[in-house]
Amino acid sequence: ENIVVATSKEKDDQPIVDYCAARKMNYFCGPKDNVAQRFLLCGQKFHFDRLIRICGDNVLVDHGLLKRMTEIALKGEYDLVSCNFSLVNENGLPYHEHKFHTVNVPLEVANGHNVFAHPAVLYSKMFIEKYRYIPEEQPQEDLKLWQRAVADGCKFGICEENLLYHRIHSNSVCNSNNK
């Protein structure tokens, strides 16, 4: 298993680089304001066949769940795999009963619904090599990237297990809060 800490090129993140270097840990420095692009550039540099993006604000992801995502990707030859997640309202109560692993993922994504759990998403080498983030699409860069991939016929998979509970609020940038 290869782990790479992807941080920014900014001076403020130099302690992260120093920490990794002192412990002989792999690290990558990329753009500060486009984390998604940083992730894809890191995957290219390290020549990964598949990689899982784990966000810095959610690093305690169940290792078994990550292995399950990898198994699903390999078995189904998926270009992108995510875990299921549950939507909750601003008070933490269930928003609606919906299992994303049972939906038509391309149709949902094409219609502007985010069906992927952002904190842990597995990407294939083809996906990393082919797709790029477009800075003008922020703050919807993930959804827009996935919509382009859907339009191209990429294969998507979603684990049955929940990775997280996602709070829906009135300022969400995707249409999932309108379901």
Side-chain angles (χ1 to χ4, degrees), residues 90 139-140 166-178:
E90 293 184 16
Q140 293 182 308
H166 179 72
R167 183 177 57 87
I168 293 296
H169 54 86
S170 58
N171 295 325
S172 293
V173 296
C174 69
N175 294 331
S176 295
N177 60 333
N178 297 326

Side-chain angles (χ1 to χ4, degrees), residues 85-89 94-98 100 103 105 107-118 140 143 146-147 158 166-179:
F85 62 95
S86 292
L87 302 175
V88 296
N89 66 20
Y95 187 72
H96 63 77
E97 293 299 320
H98 198 43
F100 289 101
V103 301
V105 173
L107 180 63
E108 292 291 323
V109 171
N111 287 329
H113 299 284
N114 177 21
V115 297
F116 302 115
H118 288 75
Q140 293 182 308
L143 180 62
W146 298 331
Q147 286 175 327
I158 298 180
H166 179 72
R167 183 177 57 87
I168 293 296
H169 54 86
S170 58
N171 295 325
S172 293
V173 296
C174 69
N175 294 331
S176 295
N177 60 333
N178 297 326
K179 282 194 141 186

Side-chain angles (χ1 to χ4, degrees), residues 118-129:
H118 288 75
V121 178
L122 180 147
Y123 295 90
S124 70
K125 182 176 183 178
M126 180 283 301
F127 196 98
I128 295 163
E129 291 174 345

Side-chain angles (χ1 to χ4, degrees), residues 5-11 13 17 27-42 45:
V5 175
T7 189
S8 83
K9 299 175 184 178
E10 302 295 314
K11 278 194 303 187
D13 287 329
V17 172
Y27 64 90
F28 175 81
C29 298
K32 176 184 179 183
D33 295 325
N34 194 332
V35 177
Q37 183 182 31
R38 183 186 329 151
F39 168 78
L40 293 178
L41 292 171
C42 175
K45 178 182 179 186

